[in-house]
Amino acid sequence: MRLFSARGRRTSGRFSMGTLRAAAILGGFFTLTVPLMPVQAALLRVSPRGARQFPNWYHRQVCRLLGVRLHIEGEISPDRPVLVVANHTSWLDIPVLSAVAPLSFVAKKDVARWPFVSTLAKLQRTVFVDRERRSAVGETTNEMTARLAAGDAVVLFAEGTSSDGNRVLPFKTSLFAAAKPPARAGERPSAQAGSDVVVQTLSLVYTRLHGVPINRAARPLVGWYGDMEMQSHAWALLKAGPLDVSIRIGAPIPLEAFADRKDLARRSEDEIRRNVVQILRSYPRDAEIAVTRPAGGFAAASASGGRSVFR
């Protein structure tokens, strides 16, 4: 009975510490965020440059508050408009990527209806996409073209949804239509978004929790996908402890170097898939890894002497 009681007390203590941690982070988040929302709203009206830069500073503070440590290889080009193509694991990707560089995002229209989150997304100048209406592609294309012409860096989550973090889902070529629409008669392809636009891949993997490597079974603690409920998932993740995330940014490639949206999707997917495998297996960036894109299911990827991490 004494042993049982001791174990019970230890379990209760761990639970209490996790709950206190989550409550403290949540309180700190709202204390930081609410007073700064009018600041960003004002910047949107009077200083476009400030409105791009301020969320980057803000999200670095959010990551510190959450205990998220960023390990970044490469950088987003600071002096050119950039289409950033990224894999997507969790709602946590938004503050993490926003802490890397001044970025805005392409999101499904449903996000514009989420309480509080929609306000934050709009303040960060999110481009909302209505995937149910084909006619909306033209509107999105115009908005993305305008953003890129203004020198913005815009993030596209090319899988179209989030995953458990153990794999990269097949990229949806339709999502690239706004960035790389078919050329109209007599128009050069590069004229649609500006010949100075570059594409950079961004590969993101959550690697450690409390300094301990996250294994395949534990990775869904961070991944938010399927029918997971956001509030309960966020609360569990806040209770869990500090995280390490590895981010690998690819070299800039001119948008006009891609033949069409399918070429852009294919080459970006291959690079991100290879980087994710390397990070998951702690391989160096130049390690030779054969990656096979899936025909419809999950990917199969192999490294010399190893098993598939996507099986």
Side-chain angles (χ1 to χ4, degrees), residues 131-154:
R131 297 174 186 166
E132 304 300 320
R133 293 193 302 119
R134 286 183 175 273
S135 59
V137 173
E139 299 169 8
T140 306
T141 299
N142 293 337
E143 186 168 0
M144 284 190 67
T145 300
R147 291 292 184 82
L148 293 170
D152 281 10
V154 181

Side-chain angles (χ1 to χ4, degrees), residues 15-63:
F15 174 81
S16 298
M17 288 301 295
T19 301
L20 286 172
R21 180 183 193 275
I25 291 173
L26 203 59
F29 171 78
F30 284 109
T31 300
L32 172 70
T33 301
V34 174
L36 294 179
M37 291 170 70
V39 175
Q40 176 66 1
L43 288 172
L44 286 171
R45 291 193 298 270
V46 303
S47 174
R49 177 179 174 81
R52 285 197 294 268
Q53 298 287 338
F54 187 68
N56 176 228
W57 174 86
Y58 160 76
H59 281 104
R60 289 201 301 269
Q61 314 316 308
V62 170
C63 284

Side-chain angles (χ1 to χ4, degrees), residues 25 60 65 75 88 94 151 299-300:
I25 291 173
R60 289 201 301 269
L65 180 65
E75 66 172 353
H88 191 18
I94 305 302

